[in-house]
RNA sequence: GGGCGGUUAGCUCAGCUGGUUAGAGCGCGUCGUUCACACCGACGAGGUCGGAGGUUCGAGUCCUCUACCGCCCACCA
């Protein structure tokens, strides 16, 4: 893990990310533990966190409870087994017909506590309230009605087991059914059968299953059912979605355990509504990802389970008093004072007790569970802003501006952070969030270790440069998946080189020229600066709305046209006599433009711009003020001059290219027919256009747009 | 089952509140090097904007329906 951290830090430094490395923390570090435990204790004191014994989704390999947010569905092969459930003598309005139920989990027949059908289902209405006995085990269970039963599914009547899936939990709770659990925390059927099976005298049958995994038990029970004649036909293969722990390999079981929960609106409509409101107050970039938050919060079906039965993590700062019989008092946990934090209940002792009383009747016992990492990560804003140890910093930086993160952890990191900040501070932890997309492999496939298509950034940095990688990354829009594309990185590299070359040119010809705006006597120069000022406004607005990709695109577009057109147009004038007004104007405009472009590109090409900035400025560009369009925008400038001059120059280049002539080829005559105002603009830059195009005579006339170019005949070889 | 994105040139993608002949880069073709740039430049070819209706003087841009791709959510016996 430490190695991974170093690798990330090395990469991020190499990429020039402006991280304050003094603020890094680990979730089990002292600061994070103190924050986690303090927030927990305060949640506990206010009743926002509670401990409860309840059916819990459980990973049998990790042997820990898991939270709703850590679930994922996987499509799994399974089979419907048609089982015969027997009518009980003297019950049933229409005689003693057996009932056929379909189940994908026949191994849970010993855990069956009821059958349920839809209240409107005529087939089963006569049976509601009657009793039946389960196959193989002969346990009496009621037939009940519940609206969640789907008449279309299977035989229309479901076997409720404790617990086969989350619907069973709902039925168990809402129909007030008993617990008859057989699944152990190790994923194997427990050794001793439920009491009802003992009473029914079928313990020997259960013994055939005890100790087996779900899969093994299913195989065996199907054999037993077949032998007893209670399997109706052969199992019918299906595929169906099954809940998994996102990092687990076997389907989750549901077992009853005592766990810590934080209220998150999952069973409290008022809190849920408040959290939805907070989600609406948050500025999402892009806006539509907010929908994910909405559907997640609306779909919550329980509080946030934060305890884990693992070894490494932040411990709960809690002990329980033991009574004279050694029973723990879970209702009244013993807690430390805040200034004692962090504590480890496994080695620290609660106030008023001694170590000798640990695990002794009349003494105390530690809570040995640890917190889910999200219980700590949900406090990142509080950890980073010094909530427990730097009141001044906290005052100035909380709530924060921005949470940048991935889409897959909206339901965990983002949502949990909102919950914690709301409980503790009554506000959102940040005003804005940006959601990134995924990086896909060059074939637009999701990267996965199992597929072997994972590409790490460092080799790309080494091949194309950090700025090229940044350029590629900045071309990916927020929340849009972006494929690794060396072509785009090459363009970034090209752009960086172009900036170096342009800077060399500008600084080479006007070494220490003045920036005095009064020197801007050329209409073309002023026109270009107007366009540049407009660009600054547009790019600033794009950054303000977190649309960095747009900011880059606009800057880049201006830059290339600046190099191709403006620089070519003013080159002759710029090379002129340093004392001439035209030369001074060009130099001043070029330098103003260069300074602005350097700064506009700085967020993207951090290293290139830092280098060229150092050629002529003091200090780092990354702490230089952002360009100001007001100061840049010259008075009395006509934006048309630059545009029309560039258009004519392009037309001249096109003619030369079509004649397969050099760009340096002389032009005898050019006729520009244009509207009056555009011709006026062109005349304002006429000398520059003639110089740049090597044009001898430039005529203009008002009319429908046309540029007619007559080249001088080629020189004989 | 509910919802959110996407579908624009061979490829990767822009196209903001509807407005003149739909853009960029790559790739492709042609041409061009004394004077910032061959780690280059210029120019060009290439698109029924997924499909069908509709609103409008005008739709890639708005509305309805629909197809396919990706994703999220859901109590999926």
């Amino acid at each position: 893990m430490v190695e991974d951290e170093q690798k990330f830090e090395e990469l991020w430094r190499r990429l020039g990310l402006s991280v304050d490395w003094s603020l890094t923390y680990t979730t089990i570090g002292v600061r994070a533990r103190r924050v986690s435990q303090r927030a927990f204790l305060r949640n506990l004191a206010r009743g926002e966190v509670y401990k409860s014994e309840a059916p819990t989704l459980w990973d049998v390999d990790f042997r820990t409870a898991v939270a709703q947010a850590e679930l994922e569905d996987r499509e799994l092969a399974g089979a419907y087994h048609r089982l015969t459930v027997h009518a009980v003598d003297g019950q049933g309005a229409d005689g003693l017909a057996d009932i056929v139920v379909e189940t994908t989990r026949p191994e849970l027949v010993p855990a069956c506590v009821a059958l349920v059908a839809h209240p409107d289902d005529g087939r089963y209405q006569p049976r509601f309230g009657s009793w039946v006995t389960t196959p193989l085990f002969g346990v009496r269970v009621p037939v009940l009605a519940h609206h969640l039963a789907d008449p279309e599914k299977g035989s229309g009547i479901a076997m409720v087991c404790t617990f086969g899936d989350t619907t069973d939990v709902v039925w168990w709770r809402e129909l007030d059914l008993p617990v008859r659990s057989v699944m152990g925390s190790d994923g194997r059927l427990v050794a001793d059968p439920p009491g009802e099976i003992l009473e029914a005298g079928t313990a020997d049958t259960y013994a055939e299953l005890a100790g087996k995994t779900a899969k093994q038990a299913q195989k065996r029970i199907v054999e037993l059912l077949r032998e007893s004649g209670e399997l109706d036909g052969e199992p019918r293969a299906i595929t169906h979605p099954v809940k998994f722990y996102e990092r687990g390999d076997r389907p989750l079981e549901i077992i009853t355990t005592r766990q810590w929960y934080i209220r998150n609106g999952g069973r409290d409509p008022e809190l849920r509504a408040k959290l939805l409101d907070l989600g609406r107050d948050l500025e999402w970039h892009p806006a539509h990802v907010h929908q994910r938050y909405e559907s997640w919060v609306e779909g919550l079906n329980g509080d946030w389970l934060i305890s884990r039965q693992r070894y490494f993590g932040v411990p709960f700062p809690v002990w329980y008093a033991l009574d004279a019989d050694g029973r723990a008092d879970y209702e009244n946990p013993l807690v430390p004072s805040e200034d004692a934090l962090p504590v480890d209940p496994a080695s620290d002792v609660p106030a008023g007790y001694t170590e000798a009383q640990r695990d002794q009747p009349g003494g105390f016992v530690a809570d040995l569970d640890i917190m889910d990492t999200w219980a700590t990560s949900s406090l990142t804003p509080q950890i980073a802003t010094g909530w427990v140890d730097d009141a001044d910093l906290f005052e100035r930086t909380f709530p924060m501006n921005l949470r940048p993160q991935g889409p897959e952890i909206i339901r965990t990191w983002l949502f949990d952070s909102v919950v914690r900040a709301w409980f503790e501070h009554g506000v959102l932890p940040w005003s804005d969030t940006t959601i990134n997309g995924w990086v896909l492999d060059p074939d637009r496939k999701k990267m996965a270790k199992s597929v072997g298509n994972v590409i790490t950034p460092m080799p790309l940095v080494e091949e194309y440069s950090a700025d090229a990688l940044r350029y590629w990354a900045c071309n990916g829009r927020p929340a849009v998946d972006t494929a690794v594309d060396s072509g785009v990185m090459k363009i970034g590299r090209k752009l960086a080189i172009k900036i170096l070359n342009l800077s060399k040119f500008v600084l080479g010809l006007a070494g220490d020229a003045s920036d005095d705006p009064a020197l801007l006597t050329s209409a073309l120069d002023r026109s270009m600066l107007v366009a540049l000022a407009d660009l600054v406004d547009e790019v600033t607005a794009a950054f303000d709305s977190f649309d960095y990709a747009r900011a880059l695109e606009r800057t880049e577009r201006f830059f290339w046209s600046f190099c191709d057109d403006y620089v070519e147009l003013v080159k002759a004038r710029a090379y002129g006599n340093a004392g001439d007004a035209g030369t001074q104007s060009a130099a001043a405009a070029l330098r103003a433009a260069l300074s602005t472009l350097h700064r506009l590109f700085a967020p993207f090409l951090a290293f290139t711009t830092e280098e060229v900035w150092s050629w002529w400025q003091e200090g780092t560009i990354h702490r230089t003020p952002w360009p100001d369009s007001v100061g840049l925008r010259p008075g009395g400038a006509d934006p048309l001059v630059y545009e029309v001059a560039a258009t004519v120059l392009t037309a001249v280049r096109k003619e030369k290219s079509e004649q397969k002539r050099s760009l340096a080829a002389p032009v005898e005559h050019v006729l520009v027919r244009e509207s009056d105002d555009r011709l006026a603009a062109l005349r304002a830059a006429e000398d520059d256009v003639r110089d740049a195009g090597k044009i001898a005579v430039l005529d203009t006339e008002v009319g429908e747009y046309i540029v007619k170019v007559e080249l001088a005949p080629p020189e004989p070889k």
Side-chain angles (χ1 to χ4, degrees):
Chain A
M1 291 299 252
V2 172
E3 274 179 31
D4 285 346
E5 281 168 28
Q6 283 172 350
K7 280 238 165 34
F8 271 108
E9 182 169 341
E10 191 187 335
L11 176 67
W12 288 15
R13 284 184 186 278
R14 186 78 178 269
L15 287 172
L17 300 191
S18 50
V19 170
D20 184 343
W21 296 101
S22 73
L23 290 176
T24 55
Y25 72 90
T26 58
T27 45
I28 55 168
V30 171
R31 185 150 45 110
R33 272 185 311 175
R34 190 179 294 139
V35 170
S36 294
Q37 293 188 338
R38 175 155 119 163
F40 170 85
L41 290 177
R42 291 180 173 213
N43 289 141
L44 182 62
R46 290 189 297 257
E48 294 148 2
V49 62
Y50 62 91
K51 193 160 202 182
S52 165
E53 185 168 22
T56 310
L57 285 154
W58 184 269
D59 188 287
V60 298
D61 293 312
F62 286 92
R63 299 223 189 160
T64 182
V66 301
Q68 187 182 354
E70 296 170 293
L71 305 184
E72 66 181 30
D73 286 349
R74 291 182 204 163
E75 202 62 34
L76 214 61
Y80 274 126
H81 301 73
R82 292 172 60 85
L83 309 185
T84 305
V85 182
H86 308 286
V88 175
D89 286 349
Q91 306 287 336
D94 61 342
L96 302 173
D98 289 346
I99 293 174
V100 173
V101 299
E102 291 201 57
T103 178
T104 55
R105 301 208 60 185
E107 69 276 18
L108 292 180
V109 166
C112 178
V113 291
L115 302 188
V116 257
H118 195 274
D120 299 337
D121 194 332
R123 293 171 297 178
Y124 300 107
Q125 274 172 344
R127 309 297 289 262
F128 293 149
S130 74
W131 293 75
V132 291
T133 59
T134 59
L136 290 181
F137 299 99
V139 172
R140 278 165 52 94
V141 298
V143 180
L144 302 170
H146 193 278
H147 67 275
L148 282 183
D150 182 357
E152 302 294 313
K153 197 160 289 175
S155 58
I157 189 162
M159 187 173 80
V160 183
C161 305
T162 53
F163 296 95
D165 63 25
T166 51
T167 316
D168 283 344
V169 178
V170 174
W171 282 325
W172 167 80
R173 194 171 54 228
E174 297 190 5
L175 298 173
D176 200 20
L177 297 167
V179 175
R180 194 167 294 153
S181 58
V182 296
M183 185 56 66
S185 62
D186 58 355
R188 293 174 182 273
L189 272 65
V190 294
D192 299 322
E196 294 81 358
I197 286 179
L198 289 174
E199 288 166 21
T202 50
D204 289 351
T205 308
Y206 181 81
E208 297 266 348
L209 307 175
K212 287 184 158 60
T213 63
K215 210 170 181 177
Q216 294 164 345
Q218 179 175 114
K219 189 174 174 217
R220 182 61 188 138
I221 201 169
V222 166
E223 291 167 2
L224 294 171
L225 286 163
R226 194 176 281 133
E227 286 166 16
S228 71
E230 290 165 306
L231 181 67
D232 182 4
E234 282 305 296
R236 186 161 50 88
I238 55 158
T239 62
H240 61 152
V242 176
K243 288 195 188 308
F244 279 74
Y245 173 39
E246 58 193 0
R247 289 156 58 195
D249 297 320
R250 282 200 279 175
L252 291 169
E253 294 293 347
I254 297 175
I255 67 174
T256 300
T257 54
R258 189 181 301 279
Q259 304 286 347
W260 285 106
Y261 296 84
I262 293 183
R263 300 186 195 278
N264 67 353
R267 45 188 53 185
D268 177 351
E270 255 179 68
L271 177 58
R272 185 190 305 244
K274 183 64 215 176
L275 292 167
L276 285 168
D277 282 346
L278 287 166
R280 291 170 194 138
D281 290 342
L282 184 60
E283 296 286 342
W284 298 79
H285 307 281
H288 70 80
V289 288
H290 172 225
Q291 194 54 232
R292 289 206 191 195
Y293 179 97
E294 289 271 316
S295 45
W296 173 249
V297 178
E298 282 168 0
L300 286 170
N301 54 28
D303 284 330
W304 174 20
L305 192 163
I306 56 163
S307 45
R308 297 290 182 277
Q309 290 65 52
R310 308 288 297 274
Y311 301 106
F312 299 106
V314 178
F316 287 89
V318 164
W319 303 265
Y320 306 102
L322 296 174
D323 66 14
D325 298 325
R327 279 193 301 260
D329 178 7
Y330 292 113
E331 298 304 312
N332 301 289
L334 307 169
V335 297
S337 66
E338 280 190 3
D339 51 20
L341 302 178
V343 301
D344 182 353
S347 52
D348 296 320
V349 174
Y353 291 85
T354 65
E355 181 60 34
Q357 291 174 282
R358 185 183 295 277
D359 300 333
Q360 300 299 317
F364 70 93
V365 62
D367 189 324
L368 293 178
D369 285 354
I370 57 146
M371 294 185 199
D372 172 24
T373 50
W374 290 119
T376 299
S377 299
S378 60
L379 297 164
T380 310
Q382 289 85 344
I383 295 169
T385 58
W387 177 50
V388 295
D389 49 15
D390 191 339
D392 174 58
L393 181 67
F394 183 71
E395 176 66 26
R396 288 183 290 123
T397 55
F398 188 91
M400 304 174 101
N401 297 69
L402 179 67
R403 160 61 66 79
Q405 63 158 68
E408 78 285 8
I409 49 178
I410 289 172
R411 66 184 190 174
T412 49
W413 198 28
L414 192 147
F415 172 63
D416 296 342
S417 300
V418 170
V419 171
R420 303 307 290 282
W422 168 247
F423 280 149
E424 189 57 46
H425 313 286
V427 293
L428 279 170
W430 353 259
S431 57
D432 293 74
T433 182
T434 53
I435 303 299
N436 56 261
W438 290 100
V439 175
L440 306 176
D441 81 358
D443 298 324
R444 298 202 59 77
K445 295 276 191 318
K446 189 170 174 176
M447 290 189 198
K449 270 184 195 155
S450 58
V451 182
N453 63 343
V454 173
I455 295 170
T456 54
M458 197 57 104
L460 295 169
V461 172
E462 276 158 9
E463 185 169 0
Y464 300 104
S465 83
D467 277 353
L469 197 83
R470 293 173 66 105
Y471 175 87
W472 161 78
C474 292
N475 266 289
R477 255 68 184 171
V480 174
D481 293 349
T482 305
V484 171
D485 187 341
S486 62
V488 174
M489 292 177 210
K490 284 179 190 166
I491 298 164
R493 193 180 154 76
K494 221 172 100 168
L495 174 63
I497 291 166
K498 189 80 171 177
I499 291 170
L500 292 173
N501 283 318
L502 175 79
S503 303
K504 192 168 81 180
F505 165 71
V506 172
L507 298 176
L509 60 77
D512 55 353
S514 166
D515 294 334
D516 185 354
L519 295 175
L520 296 167
T521 52
S522 153
L524 175 65
D525 298 342
R526 289 202 304 274
S527 179
M528 179 278 293
L529 289 172
V530 167
L532 183 60
D534 289 345
L535 175 73
V536 169
D537 287 340
E538 185 178 10
V539 169
T540 303
F543 269 124
D544 283 344
S545 58
F546 297 91
D547 196 351
Y548 50 83
R550 186 187 189 86
L552 172 57
E553 185 213 328
R554 296 308 153 102
T555 304
E556 197 180 0
R557 185 193 297 174
F558 182 94
F559 173 75
W560 283 103
S561 131
F562 177 84
C563 290
D564 292 347
D565 300 328
Y566 177 75
V567 170
E568 292 308 318
L569 282 165
V570 300
K571 211 173 234 177
R573 190 149 51 82
Y575 275 125
N577 193 322
D580 293 349
T583 302
Q584 287 183 342
S585 178
L590 283 167
R591 287 166 64 89
L594 190 69
S595 168
T596 303
L597 288 168
H598 282 174
R599 285 178 284 159
L600 293 182
F601 275 126
F604 307 107
L605 306 175
F607 295 97
T608 304
T609 52
E610 182 74 341
E611 169 66 15
V612 293
W613 192 254
S614 77
W615 293 351
W616 66 314
Q617 306 281 358
E618 295 297 319
T620 171
I621 190 171
H622 301 298
R623 295 203 160 208
T624 302
W626 186 247
D628 166 30
S629 72
V630 175
L632 195 60
R633 196 181 296 276
D638 179 1
L640 271 186
V641 176
Y642 178 26
E643 185 198 321
V644 177
T647 304
V648 173
L649 182 60
T650 298
V652 170
R653 280 195 299 243
K654 176 174 177 173
E655 182 64 22
K656 289 178 180 179
S657 185
E658 282 173 356
Q659 299 290 329
K660 298 191 190 298
R661 298 284 297 277
S662 159
L663 289 178
V667 178
E668 285 185 338
H669 180 252
V670 171
L671 171 67
V672 179
R673 200 187 296 147
E674 259 285 19
S675 62
D676 199 25
D677 55 333
R678 292 175 68 88
L679 283 184
L682 176 60
R683 283 189 211 98
E686 183 178 342
D687 289 346
D688 288 333
V689 172
R690 293 205 355 254
D691 284 339
K694 303 269 194 292
I695 300 165
V697 179
L698 177 62
D699 283 333
T700 60
E701 63 183 48
V702 176
E704 183 128 351
Y705 173 75
I706 185 176
V707 178
K708 201 168 147 194
V709 180
E710 293 168 37
L711 297 185
E715 304 253 337
K717 297 231 164 165

